[in-house]
Amino acid sequence: MTLKEAKDDDFDQKVVETSKEKPVLVDFWASWCMPCKQLKPTIEEIGKERDDIDVVKVNIDEAEEKPQEYGVRSVPNVNLFVDGEVVESFVGNRSKEDINEWIDENI
Amino acid sequence: MYDLVVVGAGPAGYTAALYAKRYDLDVAVVGEELGGLCSEAYIVENWPGTEEIEGQELMDNMKEQVEEIGVEVKQKKVEKIDRNETFLLETEEETLESHSVILALGAEKRRLEIPGEEELVGKGVSYCATCDAPLYRNKEVAVIGGADSGLKAAMQLAEHADRVRIFEATDRISAENIMIRKCEDNEKIEMNTGMAPQKFVGGEFLEGIVFENGEEIEVDGAFIEIGSEPNRSIEKVSGEEILRDDQGFIEVEEDMSTNVEGVFAAGDVTTGSNKLRQIVTASAEGAVAAYSAYGYVSEQKA
């Protein structure tokens, strides 16, 4: 039930620190990217439906450092943070069912 | 119950819906990726009547146009199609019932299928220049493929990257002359022929490309533009196979009918239009398919 947005200055707190308490799903996206638009409603639904993780969206147009720090070379780029670190990531659009399974396997 | 369900939300699907609705059919469009491959197109300059338009904008326009006249557009994946007396199209959440079906499944970007490619997707290897070009500001990139889509990707990348090298496996660049001239005039872009990639090298990120002739280059990004292949997400209707040619294109008659009665096909997934596979040919096939579906549905209901 937690859907947030993060930028460079609050990424560490909203993602890295929070993930030490519970897993955080991060979606790096861009407005010019059609697959990002396709993925957006899915990510938002997951954020609303799951209590066991936080979901944070990062618009790479508004955040330059963090995408670079985490090696984002393609969008949409979905990363799962556990205990302060990225445990798994994927690129491109996927179905809600697939993403939920992917989260369950990795948390 | 619909008169027609169009599977696929690209130019063929939307145009089919536009025409079908004007014949008064009750129609829905169901697509996994709204806009399809076309929405990844950079600038479209060969859609008649429009000097230039971004692929995404063109597809948004098509979607709005059909929604405006009452077509339902659903972003869902059709998992399978069964037939009783009518067609049943199954998605994750619901099953749609329809008198007829148009398969406008489109195409998918072809992969090189060389070592390192799969491992480095998203870490330097990309299939969408529109999405990722801005992430390569001041970097060096390669475009694999010297046809229209490769040259377009190169133009787009040159807006951000410092250096863009196109590598074509055959001995000639085979794109529209106007695109070749644009690339020649762009000082950031180089075009190389006779260069077939053998493997991608890198660890955490892509570092370089090794070619079959033994040459090696260092790059930060590699954009794969070696054409597309027909989508195969629907192969059957209730166990009856939809006939495809040896390259996987759905075989259609001039009226866009397939071997399965009541199932039509349109766009990049078909053998139609001499496989030119353009937005304008996909749309044209969509229109023909809608007219044929209209004829079929009218007969069924009579």
Side-chain angles (χ1 to χ4, degrees):
Chain A
M1 192 53 221
T2 344
L3 189 65
K4 298 174 184 165
E5 285 178 27
K7 295 180 182 175
D8 284 335
D9 55 353
D10 57 2
F11 187 91
D12 285 344
Q13 178 246 320
K14 283 180 175 165
V15 177
V16 182
E17 290 307 316
T18 307
S19 73
K20 292 172 184 168
E21 308 294 324
K22 67 170 170 178
V24 182
L25 185 76
V26 180
D27 173 24
F28 291 101
W29 66 282
S31 58
W32 59 74
C33 147
M34 196 61 185
C36 299
K37 284 193 177 177
Q38 320 267 16
L39 182 65
K40 190 170 169 245
T42 311
I43 292 288
E44 290 175 350
E45 279 174 35
I46 291 172
K48 282 181 193 147
E49 287 166 13
R50 292 189 70 137
D51 292 329
D52 58 337
I53 58 166
D54 259 18
V55 173
V56 177
K57 295 195 299 175
V58 180
N59 182 345
I60 64 164
D61 227 5
E62 295 171 355
E64 275 190 24
E65 288 167 26
K66 292 297 165 185
Q68 215 152 20
E69 186 181 327
Y70 287 95
V72 176
R73 299 277 183 93
S74 284
V75 284
N77 198 306
V78 179
N79 292 255
L80 191 61
F81 281 73
V82 179
D83 289 332
E85 285 180 13
V86 180
V87 291
E88 202 54 73
S89 64
F90 71 81
V91 170
N93 190 13
R94 291 190 184 181
S95 76
K96 192 164 114 186
E97 209 175 30
D98 288 353
I99 298 174
N100 273 323
E101 270 178 34
W102 175 83
I103 295 169
D104 293 335
E105 281 167 18
N106 290 295
I107 59 174
Chain B
M1 164 82 99
Y2 295 97
D3 293 319
L4 168 66
V5 172
V6 181
V7 185
Y14 286 140
T15 310
L18 174 67
Y19 273 73
K21 191 70 194 175
R22 293 170 67 89
Y23 293 123
D24 248 352
L25 298 189
D26 197 358
V27 55
V29 174
V30 188
E32 194 181 0
E33 289 183 29
L34 300 185
L37 263 193
C38 178
S39 60
E40 290 179 12
Y42 172 42
I43 301 282
V44 177
E45 294 175 314
N46 50 13
W47 179 248
T50 308
E51 203 172 317
E52 59 170 54
I53 185 167
E54 283 184 16
Q56 189 174 322
E57 192 187 349
L58 178 60
M59 296 321 298
D60 287 346
N61 290 350
M62 286 195 194
K63 177 169 179 276
E64 273 168 33
Q65 187 179 13
V66 296
E67 284 181 330
E68 191 64 34
I69 57 169
V71 173
E72 270 183 83
V73 178
K74 296 164 184 269
Q75 189 189 344
K76 289 177 195 298
K77 182 178 189 211
V78 173
E79 306 281 351
K80 63 179 205 156
I81 303 178
D82 284 320
R83 159 178 241 167
N84 219 326
E85 298 214 327
T86 56
F87 294 98
L88 299 168
L89 298 93
E90 205 175 286
T91 72
E92 214 172 281
E93 287 113 7
E94 61 176 327
T95 298
L96 307 174
E97 190 177 359
S98 179
H99 286 294
S100 64
V101 173
I102 292 178
L103 299 174
L105 304 174
E108 293 166 347
K109 292 244 171 103
R110 183 173 288 140
R111 303 204 161 207
L112 274 168
E113 291 174 4
I114 60 171
E117 182 181 16
E118 206 184 325
E119 295 82 351
L120 291 164
V121 169
K123 301 180 167 81
V125 173
S126 173
Y127 301 89
C128 180
T130 313
C131 305
D132 300 339
L135 293 163
Y136 289 85
R137 194 163 294 131
N138 307 325
K139 296 196 187 306
E140 292 196 10
V141 298
V143 174
I144 309 301
D148 285 321
S149 62
L151 272 58
K152 277 188 185 172
M155 290 294 298
Q156 194 168 9
L157 285 158
E159 287 184 14
H160 304 278
D162 278 348
R163 186 181 186 196
V164 182
R165 282 179 278 180
I166 299 171
F167 296 100
E168 164 59 35
T170 68
D171 59 6
R172 71 181 275 266
I173 299 286
S174 53
E176 292 173 348
N177 291 334
I178 191 167
M179 282 307 302
I180 295 176
R181 279 197 299 276
K182 279 186 182 179
C183 286
E184 281 170 348
D185 291 344
N186 190 316
E187 56 185 23
K188 286 184 181 174
I189 300 177
E190 297 160 33
M191 290 182 274
N192 306 279
T193 55
M195 297 280 281
Q198 188 181 51
K199 64 176 178 188
F200 291 111
V201 286
E204 196 185 346
F205 295 109
L206 174 71
E207 289 161 16
I209 307 171
V210 177
F211 293 87
E212 281 177 4
N213 61 10
E215 280 191 53
E216 293 184 32
I217 61 155
E218 285 181 12
V219 280
D220 301 301
F223 289 78
I224 319 261
E225 294 288 352
I226 51 167
S228 57
E229 49 197 24
N231 176 301
R232 308 199 67 126
S233 59
I234 305 281
E235 302 266 40
K236 289 174 182 172
V237 174
S238 276
E240 184 178 2
E241 195 163 332
I242 302 157
L243 288 184
R244 294 183 180 242
D245 73 2
D246 53 9
Q247 293 173 298
F249 293 94
I250 295 177
E251 292 191 18
V252 287
E253 302 294 327
E254 260 190 272
D255 65 354
M256 292 293 140
S257 59
T258 70
N259 61 306
V260 181
E261 201 192 344
V263 176
F264 304 84
D268 285 4
V269 76
T270 78
T271 53
S273 303
N274 211 14
K275 296 186 184 171
L276 185 59
R277 289 186 281 161
Q278 299 290 301
I279 302 169
V280 69
T281 53
S283 284
E285 290 184 25
V288 175
Y291 181 64
S292 301
Y294 166 63
Y296 173 81
V297 171
S298 306
E299 254 174 48
Q300 295 296 303
K301 286 181 158 180

PDB file of all heavy atoms in Angstrom, chain B residues 212-243:
ATOM      1  N   GLU B 212      33.309 -11.003 -36.502  1.00  0.00           N
ATOM      2  CA  GLU B 212      33.725 -12.280 -37.097  1.00  0.00           C
ATOM      3  C   GLU B 212      35.058 -12.172 -37.830  1.00  0.00           C
ATOM      4  O   GLU B 212      35.805 -13.134 -37.936  1.00  0.00           O
ATOM      5  CB  GLU B 212      32.631 -12.806 -38.036  1.00  0.00           C
ATOM      6  CG  GLU B 212      31.500 -13.459 -37.260  1.00  0.00           C
ATOM      7  CD  GLU B 212      30.362 -13.942 -38.144  1.00  0.00           C
ATOM      8  OE1 GLU B 212      30.467 -13.844 -39.385  1.00  0.00           O
ATOM      9  OE2 GLU B 212      29.349 -14.399 -37.574  1.00  0.00           O
ATOM     10  N   ASN B 213      35.367 -10.968 -38.344  1.00  0.00           N
ATOM     11  CA  ASN B 213      36.635 -10.802 -39.061  1.00  0.00           C
ATOM     12  C   ASN B 213      37.811 -10.558 -38.104  1.00  0.00           C
ATOM     13  O   ASN B 213      38.909 -10.216 -38.529  1.00  0.00           O
ATOM     14  CB  ASN B 213      36.535  -9.656 -40.067  1.00  0.00           C
ATOM     15  CG  ASN B 213      36.227  -8.317 -39.399  1.00  0.00           C
ATOM     16  OD1 ASN B 213      36.267  -8.195 -38.170  1.00  0.00           O
ATOM     17  ND2 ASN B 213      35.922  -7.314 -40.200  1.00  0.00           N
ATOM     18  N   GLY B 214      37.535 -10.691 -36.803  1.00  0.00           N
ATOM     19  CA  GLY B 214      38.619 -10.576 -35.832  1.00  0.00           C
ATOM     20  C   GLY B 214      38.789  -9.186 -35.242  1.00  0.00           C
ATOM     21  O   GLY B 214      39.480  -9.009 -34.244  1.00  0.00           O
ATOM     22  N   GLU B 215      38.142  -8.198 -35.853  1.00  0.00           N
ATOM     23  CA  GLU B 215      38.271  -6.838 -35.311  1.00  0.00           C
ATOM     24  C   GLU B 215      37.543  -6.721 -33.975  1.00  0.00           C
ATOM     25  O   GLU B 215      36.536  -7.380 -33.737  1.00  0.00           O
ATOM     26  CB  GLU B 215      37.693  -5.817 -36.296  1.00  0.00           C
ATOM     27  CG  GLU B 215      38.653  -5.493 -37.416  1.00  0.00           C
ATOM     28  CD  GLU B 215      38.177  -4.284 -38.224  1.00  0.00           C
ATOM     29  OE1 GLU B 215      37.913  -3.235 -37.600  1.00  0.00           O
ATOM     30  OE2 GLU B 215      38.075  -4.407 -39.455  1.00  0.00           O
ATOM     31  N   GLU B 216      38.051  -5.874 -33.115  1.00  0.00           N
ATOM     32  CA  GLU B 216      37.420  -5.629 -31.822  1.00  0.00           C
ATOM     33  C   GLU B 216      37.277  -4.134 -31.613  1.00  0.00           C
ATOM     34  O   GLU B 216      38.168  -3.374 -31.983  1.00  0.00           O
ATOM     35  CB  GLU B 216      38.295  -6.171 -30.683  1.00  0.00           C
ATOM     36  CG  GLU B 216      38.417  -7.679 -30.677  1.00  0.00           C
ATOM     37  CD  GLU B 216      39.218  -8.162 -29.466  1.00  0.00           C
ATOM     38  OE1 GLU B 216      39.150  -7.508 -28.397  1.00  0.00           O
ATOM     39  OE2 GLU B 216      39.911  -9.159 -29.620  1.00  0.00           O
ATOM     40  N   ILE B 217      36.155  -3.734 -31.032  1.00  0.00           N
ATOM     41  CA  ILE B 217      36.001  -2.312 -30.706  1.00  0.00           C
ATOM     42  C   ILE B 217      35.520  -2.176 -29.262  1.00  0.00           C
ATOM     43  O   ILE B 217      34.936  -3.103 -28.706  1.00  0.00           O
ATOM     44  CB  ILE B 217      35.001  -1.587 -31.640  1.00  0.00           C
ATOM     45  CG1 ILE B 217      33.599  -2.217 -31.520  1.00  0.00           C
ATOM     46  CG2 ILE B 217      35.479  -1.614 -33.079  1.00  0.00           C
ATOM     47  CD1 ILE B 217      32.495  -1.267 -31.891  1.00  0.00           C
ATOM     48  N   GLU B 218      35.773  -1.022 -28.697  1.00  0.00           N
ATOM     49  CA  GLU B 218      35.246  -0.707 -27.374  1.00  0.00           C
ATOM     50  C   GLU B 218      34.034   0.198 -27.534  1.00  0.00           C
ATOM     51  O   GLU B 218      34.082   1.174 -28.286  1.00  0.00           O
ATOM     52  CB  GLU B 218      36.311   0.037 -26.546  1.00  0.00           C
ATOM     53  CG  GLU B 218      37.411  -0.862 -26.038  1.00  0.00           C
ATOM     54  CD  GLU B 218      38.433  -0.104 -25.207  1.00  0.00           C
ATOM     55  OE1 GLU B 218      38.171   1.057 -24.831  1.00  0.00           O
ATOM     56  OE2 GLU B 218      39.494  -0.687 -24.951  1.00  0.00           O
ATOM     57  N   VAL B 219      32.969  -0.135 -26.856  1.00  0.00           N
ATOM     58  CA  VAL B 219      31.769   0.716 -26.873  1.00  0.00           C
ATOM     59  C   VAL B 219      31.057   0.659 -25.523  1.00  0.00           C
ATOM     60  O   VAL B 219      31.207  -0.299 -24.768  1.00  0.00           O
ATOM     61  CB  VAL B 219      30.717   0.315 -27.936  1.00  0.00           C
ATOM     62  CG1 VAL B 219      31.068   0.807 -29.306  1.00  0.00           C
ATOM     63  CG2 VAL B 219      30.447  -1.169 -27.915  1.00  0.00           C
ATOM     64  N   ASP B 220      30.270   1.701 -25.260  1.00  0.00           N
ATOM     65  CA  ASP B 220      29.463   1.728 -24.036  1.00  0.00           C
ATOM     66  C   ASP B 220      28.085   1.127 -24.277  1.00  0.00           C
ATOM     67  O   ASP B 220      27.447   0.619 -23.354  1.00  0.00           O
ATOM     68  CB  ASP B 220      29.288   3.179 -23.563  1.00  0.00           C
ATOM     69  CG  ASP B 220      30.625   3.840 -23.299  1.00  0.00           C
ATOM     70  OD1 ASP B 220      31.370   3.321 -22.459  1.00  0.00           O
ATOM     71  OD2 ASP B 220      30.937   4.858 -23.951  1.00  0.00           O
ATOM     72  N   GLY B 221      27.636   1.235 -25.522  1.00  0.00           N
ATOM     73  CA  GLY B 221      26.298   0.732 -25.813  1.00  0.00           C
ATOM     74  C   GLY B 221      26.232   0.101 -27.188  1.00  0.00           C
ATOM     75  O   GLY B 221      26.975   0.485 -28.092  1.00  0.00           O
ATOM     76  N   ALA B 222      25.353  -0.895 -27.343  1.00  0.00           N
ATOM     77  CA  ALA B 222      25.128  -1.511 -28.646  1.00  0.00           C
ATOM     78  C   ALA B 222      23.625  -1.621 -28.865  1.00  0.00           C
ATOM     79  O   ALA B 222      22.919  -2.209 -28.044  1.00  0.00           O
ATOM     80  CB  ALA B 222      25.776  -2.890 -28.712  1.00  0.00           C
ATOM     81  N   PHE B 223      23.158  -1.005 -29.934  1.00  0.00           N
ATOM     82  CA  PHE B 223      21.727  -0.998 -30.237  1.00  0.00           C
ATOM     83  C   PHE B 223      21.469  -1.939 -31.408  1.00  0.00           C
ATOM     84  O   PHE B 223      22.031  -1.765 -32.489  1.00  0.00           O
ATOM     85  CB  PHE B 223      21.261   0.430 -30.530  1.00  0.00           C
ATOM     86  CG  PHE B 223      21.234   1.271 -29.283  1.00  0.00           C
ATOM     87  CD1 PHE B 223      22.403   1.789 -28.750  1.00  0.00           C
ATOM     88  CD2 PHE B 223      20.041   1.501 -28.611  1.00  0.00           C
ATOM     89  CE1 PHE B 223      22.382   2.536 -27.579  1.00  0.00           C
ATOM     90  CE2 PHE B 223      20.005   2.244 -27.436  1.00  0.00           C
ATOM     91  CZ  PHE B 223      21.181   2.757 -26.921  1.00  0.00           C
ATOM     92  N   ILE B 224      20.635  -2.936 -31.163  1.00  0.00           N
ATOM     93  CA  ILE B 224      20.413  -3.984 -32.159  1.00  0.00           C
ATOM     94  C   ILE B 224      19.221  -3.613 -33.030  1.00  0.00           C
ATOM     95  O   ILE B 224      18.101  -3.481 -32.534  1.00  0.00           O
ATOM     96  CB  ILE B 224      20.136  -5.328 -31.469  1.00  0.00           C
ATOM     97  CG1 ILE B 224      21.055  -5.503 -30.272  1.00  0.00           C
ATOM     98  CG2 ILE B 224      20.181  -6.478 -32.479  1.00  0.00           C
ATOM     99  CD1 ILE B 224      22.231  -6.301 -30.391  1.00  0.00           C
ATOM    100  N   GLU B 225      19.473  -3.470 -34.309  1.00  0.00           N
ATOM    101  CA  GLU B 225      18.416  -3.101 -35.261  1.00  0.00           C
ATOM    102  C   GLU B 225      18.542  -3.983 -36.490  1.00  0.00           C
ATOM    103  O   GLU B 225      18.939  -3.532 -37.557  1.00  0.00           O
ATOM    104  CB  GLU B 225      18.542  -1.615 -35.646  1.00  0.00           C
ATOM    105  CG  GLU B 225      18.281  -0.641 -34.509  1.00  0.00           C
ATOM    106  CD  GLU B 225      16.809  -0.550 -34.116  1.00  0.00           C
ATOM    107  OE1 GLU B 225      15.945  -1.129 -34.823  1.00  0.00           O
ATOM    108  OE2 GLU B 225      16.530   0.097 -33.093  1.00  0.00           O
ATOM    109  N   ILE B 226      18.272  -5.268 -36.320  1.00  0.00           N
ATOM    110  CA  ILE B 226      18.423  -6.197 -37.443  1.00  0.00           C
ATOM    111  C   ILE B 226      17.066  -6.726 -37.892  1.00  0.00           C
ATOM    112  O   ILE B 226      16.935  -7.867 -38.298  1.00  0.00           O
ATOM    113  CB  ILE B 226      19.373  -7.356 -37.086  1.00  0.00           C
ATOM    114  CG1 ILE B 226      18.969  -8.004 -35.756  1.00  0.00           C
ATOM    115  CG2 ILE B 226      20.811  -6.862 -37.004  1.00  0.00           C
ATOM    116  CD1 ILE B 226      19.639  -9.319 -35.491  1.00  0.00           C
ATOM    117  N   GLY B 227      16.091  -5.849 -37.802  1.00  0.00           N
ATOM    118  CA  GLY B 227      14.779  -6.219 -38.313  1.00  0.00           C
ATOM    119  C   GLY B 227      13.914  -6.898 -37.273  1.00  0.00           C
ATOM    120  O   GLY B 227      14.245  -6.961 -36.100  1.00  0.00           O
ATOM    121  N   SER B 228      12.801  -7.420 -37.759  1.00  0.00           N
ATOM    122  CA  SER B 228      11.827  -7.974 -36.832  1.00  0.00           C
ATOM    123  C   SER B 228      11.323  -9.311 -37.347  1.00  0.00           C
ATOM    124  O   SER B 228      11.539  -9.667 -38.506  1.00  0.00           O
ATOM    125  CB  SER B 228      10.662  -7.000 -36.687  1.00  0.00           C
ATOM    126  OG  SER B 228      10.106  -6.741 -37.955  1.00  0.00           O
ATOM    127  N   GLU B 229      10.684 -10.030 -36.470  1.00  0.00           N
ATOM    128  CA  GLU B 229      10.067 -11.283 -36.886  1.00  0.00           C
ATOM    129  C   GLU B 229       8.635 -11.344 -36.370  1.00  0.00           C
ATOM    130  O   GLU B 229       8.302 -10.708 -35.377  1.00  0.00           O
ATOM    131  CB  GLU B 229      10.876 -12.485 -36.411  1.00  0.00           C
ATOM    132  CG  GLU B 229      11.257 -12.448 -34.961  1.00  0.00           C
ATOM    133  CD  GLU B 229      12.380 -13.441 -34.678  1.00  0.00           C
ATOM    134  OE1 GLU B 229      13.135 -13.784 -35.602  1.00  0.00           O
ATOM    135  OE2 GLU B 229      12.468 -13.883 -33.526  1.00  0.00           O
ATOM    136  N   PRO B 230       7.777 -12.111 -37.081  1.00  0.00           N
ATOM    137  CA  PRO B 230       6.364 -12.117 -36.694  1.00  0.00           C
ATOM    138  C   PRO B 230       6.146 -12.663 -35.278  1.00  0.00           C
ATOM    139  O   PRO B 230       6.814 -13.596 -34.870  1.00  0.00           O
ATOM    140  CB  PRO B 230       5.713 -13.029 -37.736  1.00  0.00           C
ATOM    141  CG  PRO B 230       6.824 -13.770 -38.388  1.00  0.00           C
ATOM    142  CD  PRO B 230       8.035 -12.928 -38.262  1.00  0.00           C
ATOM    143  N   ASN B 231       5.231 -12.031 -34.583  1.00  0.00           N
ATOM    144  CA  ASN B 231       4.851 -12.463 -33.237  1.00  0.00           C
ATOM    145  C   ASN B 231       4.131 -13.812 -33.309  1.00  0.00           C
ATOM    146  O   ASN B 231       3.294 -14.032 -34.173  1.00  0.00           O
ATOM    147  CB  ASN B 231       3.935 -11.375 -32.644  1.00  0.00           C
ATOM    148  CG  ASN B 231       3.390 -11.740 -31.290  1.00  0.00           C
ATOM    149  OD1 ASN B 231       2.715 -12.749 -31.127  1.00  0.00           O
ATOM    150  ND2 ASN B 231       3.654 -10.917 -30.314  1.00  0.00           N
ATOM    151  N   ARG B 232       4.462 -14.707 -32.386  1.00  0.00           N
ATOM    152  CA  ARG B 232       3.880 -16.053 -32.433  1.00  0.00           C
ATOM    153  C   ARG B 232       3.060 -16.345 -31.183  1.00  0.00           C
ATOM    154  O   ARG B 232       2.885 -17.515 -30.809  1.00  0.00           O
ATOM    155  CB  ARG B 232       4.987 -17.101 -32.577  1.00  0.00           C
ATOM    156  CG  ARG B 232       5.932 -16.827 -33.733  1.00  0.00           C
ATOM    157  CD  ARG B 232       6.693 -18.063 -34.119  1.00  0.00           C
ATOM    158  NE  ARG B 232       5.794 -19.055 -34.673  1.00  0.00           N
ATOM    159  CZ  ARG B 232       5.963 -19.638 -35.856  1.00  0.00           C
ATOM    160  NH1 ARG B 232       6.971 -19.334 -36.611  1.00  0.00           N
ATOM    161  NH2 ARG B 232       5.107 -20.541 -36.273  1.00  0.00           N
ATOM    162  N   SER B 233       2.542 -15.314 -30.528  1.00  0.00           N
ATOM    163  CA  SER B 233       1.843 -15.540 -29.259  1.00  0.00           C
ATOM    164  C   SER B 233       0.537 -16.311 -29.439  1.00  0.00           C
ATOM    165  O   SER B 233       0.056 -16.940 -28.507  1.00  0.00           O
ATOM    166  CB  SER B 233       1.589 -14.217 -28.552  1.00  0.00           C
ATOM    167  OG  SER B 233       0.815 -13.373 -29.362  1.00  0.00           O
ATOM    168  N   ILE B 234      -0.060 -16.243 -30.623  1.00  0.00           N
ATOM    169  CA  ILE B 234      -1.260 -17.046 -30.903  1.00  0.00           C
ATOM    170  C   ILE B 234      -0.946 -17.957 -32.086  1.00  0.00           C
ATOM    171  O   ILE B 234      -0.649 -17.484 -33.176  1.00  0.00           O
ATOM    172  CB  ILE B 234      -2.475 -16.146 -31.264  1.00  0.00           C
ATOM    173  CG1 ILE B 234      -2.743 -15.102 -30.189  1.00  0.00           C
ATOM    174  CG2 ILE B 234      -3.709 -17.001 -31.573  1.00  0.00           C
ATOM    175  CD1 ILE B 234      -3.463 -15.594 -28.975  1.00  0.00           C
ATOM    176  N   GLU B 235      -1.018 -19.250 -31.850  1.00  0.00           N
ATOM    177  CA  GLU B 235      -0.692 -20.207 -32.916  1.00  0.00           C
ATOM    178  C   GLU B 235      -1.911 -21.007 -33.365  1.00  0.00           C
ATOM    179  O   GLU B 235      -1.936 -21.533 -34.458  1.00  0.00           O
ATOM    180  CB  GLU B 235       0.369 -21.206 -32.417  1.00  0.00           C
ATOM    181  CG  GLU B 235       1.649 -20.551 -31.952  1.00  0.00           C
ATOM    182  CD  GLU B 235       2.711 -20.491 -33.045  1.00  0.00           C
ATOM    183  OE1 GLU B 235       2.358 -20.219 -34.215  1.00  0.00           O
ATOM    184  OE2 GLU B 235       3.881 -20.719 -32.714  1.00  0.00           O
ATOM    185  N   LYS B 236      -2.911 -21.070 -32.449  1.00  0.00           N
ATOM    186  CA  LYS B 236      -4.040 -21.955 -32.715  1.00  0.00           C
ATOM    187  C   LYS B 236      -5.354 -21.320 -32.306  1.00  0.00           C
ATOM    188  O   LYS B 236      -5.384 -20.437 -31.451  1.00  0.00           O
ATOM    189  CB  LYS B 236      -3.902 -23.245 -31.884  1.00  0.00           C
ATOM    190  CG  LYS B 236      -2.803 -24.156 -32.337  1.00  0.00           C
ATOM    191  CD  LYS B 236      -2.683 -25.299 -31.347  1.00  0.00           C
ATOM    192  CE  LYS B 236      -1.537 -26.211 -31.744  1.00  0.00           C
ATOM    193  NZ  LYS B 236      -1.274 -27.205 -30.717  1.00  0.00           N
ATOM    194  N   VAL B 237      -6.427 -21.838 -32.882  1.00  0.00           N
ATOM    195  CA  VAL B 237      -7.772 -21.537 -32.405  1.00  0.00           C
ATOM    196  C   VAL B 237      -8.397 -22.878 -32.084  1.00  0.00           C
ATOM    197  O   VAL B 237      -8.621 -23.687 -32.993  1.00  0.00           O
ATOM    198  CB  VAL B 237      -8.585 -20.781 -33.479  1.00  0.00           C
ATOM    199  CG1 VAL B 237     -10.025 -20.611 -33.024  1.00  0.00           C
ATOM    200  CG2 VAL B 237      -7.954 -19.425 -33.773  1.00  0.00           C
ATOM    201  N   SER B 238      -8.628 -23.123 -30.787  1.00  0.00           N
ATOM    202  CA  SER B 238      -9.145 -24.435 -30.342  1.00  0.00           C
ATOM    203  C   SER B 238      -8.409 -25.587 -30.996  1.00  0.00           C
ATOM    204  O   SER B 238      -9.005 -26.426 -31.595  1.00  0.00           O
ATOM    205  CB  SER B 238     -10.629 -24.598 -30.704  1.00  0.00           C
ATOM    206  OG  SER B 238     -11.433 -24.023 -29.748  1.00  0.00           O
ATOM    207  N   GLY B 239      -7.163 -25.660 -30.972  1.00  0.00           N
ATOM    208  CA  GLY B 239      -6.474 -26.820 -31.527  1.00  0.00           C
ATOM    209  C   GLY B 239      -6.257 -26.752 -33.034  1.00  0.00           C
ATOM    210  O   GLY B 239      -5.438 -27.478 -33.570  1.00  0.00           O
ATOM    211  N   GLU B 240      -7.002 -25.884 -33.733  1.00  0.00           N
ATOM    212  CA  GLU B 240      -6.787 -25.766 -35.172  1.00  0.00           C
ATOM    213  C   GLU B 240      -5.657 -24.765 -35.429  1.00  0.00           C
ATOM    214  O   GLU B 240      -5.728 -23.598 -35.029  1.00  0.00           O
ATOM    215  CB  GLU B 240      -8.071 -25.303 -35.879  1.00  0.00           C
ATOM    216  CG  GLU B 240      -7.899 -25.276 -37.393  1.00  0.00           C
ATOM    217  CD  GLU B 240      -9.164 -24.857 -38.138  1.00  0.00           C
ATOM    218  OE1 GLU B 240     -10.186 -24.542 -37.483  1.00  0.00           O
ATOM    219  OE2 GLU B 240      -9.114 -24.827 -39.380  1.00  0.00           O
ATOM    220  N   GLU B 241      -4.619 -25.245 -36.095  1.00  0.00           N
ATOM    221  CA  GLU B 241      -3.448 -24.398 -36.292  1.00  0.00           C
ATOM    222  C   GLU B 241      -3.713 -23.286 -37.308  1.00  0.00           C
ATOM    223  O   GLU B 241      -4.338 -23.511 -38.343  1.00  0.00           O
ATOM    224  CB  GLU B 241      -2.281 -25.267 -36.769  1.00  0.00           C
ATOM    225  CG  GLU B 241      -0.969 -24.534 -36.629  1.00  0.00           C
ATOM    226  CD  GLU B 241       0.202 -25.492 -36.708  1.00  0.00           C
ATOM    227  OE1 GLU B 241       0.036 -26.682 -36.350  1.00  0.00           O
ATOM    228  OE2 GLU B 241       1.265 -25.045 -37.138  1.00  0.00           O
ATOM    229  N   ILE B 242      -3.250 -22.086 -36.996  1.00  0.00           N
ATOM    230  CA  ILE B 242      -3.329 -20.978 -37.949  1.00  0.00           C
ATOM    231  C   ILE B 242      -2.107 -21.118 -38.863  1.00  0.00           C
ATOM    232  O   ILE B 242      -0.971 -21.113 -38.381  1.00  0.00           O
ATOM    233  CB  ILE B 242      -3.288 -19.617 -37.221  1.00  0.00           C
ATOM    234  CG1 ILE B 242      -4.434 -19.519 -36.207  1.00  0.00           C
ATOM    235  CG2 ILE B 242      -3.348 -18.466 -38.213  1.00  0.00           C
ATOM    236  CD1 ILE B 242      -4.189 -18.535 -35.086  1.00  0.00           C
ATOM    237  N   LEU B 243      -2.344 -21.245 -40.141  1.00  0.00           N
ATOM    238  CA  LEU B 243      -1.232 -21.530 -41.060  1.00  0.00           C
ATOM    239  C   LEU B 243      -0.282 -20.339 -41.195  1.00  0.00           C
ATOM    240  O   LEU B 243      -0.704 -19.199 -41.378  1.00  0.00           O
ATOM    241  CB  LEU B 243      -1.761 -21.913 -42.441  1.00  0.00           C
ATOM    242  CG  LEU B 243      -2.417 -23.291 -42.547  1.00  0.00           C
ATOM    243  CD1 LEU B 243      -2.811 -23.561 -44.002  1.00  0.00           C
ATOM    244  CD2 LEU B 243      -1.476 -24.396 -42.042  1.00  0.00           C
TER     245      LEU B 243
END
